[in-house]
Amino acid sequence: MNDARMPLYEAKAAFFRVLGHPVRIRVLELLQEGPLPVRQLRGAIGVGPAALSQQLAVLRRSGIVTATRTGTTVVYELAGGDVPGLLGAARRTLPVVLTGRGDLAADPRRAPAEQPRVREAS
């Protein structure tokens, strides 16, 4: 029997590929606070309209975000699921993964005392 369903590990890989662009990650971070019109997203992210439109289309096709048009305004919002939890897990994991590499800037939303402590390997 030929089962056309995608194995879960392949679906996860496809999902993470969708998240694999800095503009898409930033859009998702911003949408955690609630729905936003495209003009506000563009102002907060600082990319051109074509670049933002392309990345929003990827997120929309994947089902991670939805778009609602009212007149000439398009408003985006998270479609559901635990995107904030996923982004939080990445925020907690990255300091450990990047320890000693100097690749990670501090999260500006957290006070210095809240920055995660990383244990050094023995």
Side-chain angles (χ1 to χ4, degrees):
M1 181 168 122
N2 186 4
D3 189 0
R5 289 184 290 168
M6 181 184 299
L8 182 57
Y9 65 89
E10 287 183 15
K12 287 178 183 179
F15 176 75
F16 282 112
R17 279 192 298 276
V18 168
L19 300 178
H21 193 282
V23 170
R24 293 190 291 250
I25 293 294
R26 187 66 183 127
V27 165
L28 296 175
E29 289 174 343
L30 292 167
L31 293 179
Q32 289 180 95
E33 304 300 320
L36 289 172
V38 172
R39 63 178 162 68
Q40 280 187 283
L41 288 169
R42 192 172 58 237
I45 297 172
V47 297
L52 181 59
S53 178
Q54 181 181 23
Q55 301 311 321
L56 287 169
V58 171
L59 290 170
R60 196 174 55 249
R61 280 192 307 269
S62 73
I64 296 172
V65 302
T66 60
T68 306
R69 179 179 293 275
T70 305
T72 60
T73 302
V74 179
V75 177
Y76 282 85
E77 65 182 308
L78 296 176
D82 192 13
V83 172
L86 179 64
L87 296 173
R91 195 170 28 256
R92 290 184 304 276
T93 303
L94 281 172
V96 175
V97 172
L98 299 177
T99 298
R101 289 182 38 192
D103 291 348
L104 186 63
D107 186 340
R109 294 176 293 178
R110 297 172 80 173
E114 295 178 8
Q115 294 296 329
R117 292 187 179 186
V118 179
R119 293 187 342 196
E120 302 217 1
S122 313

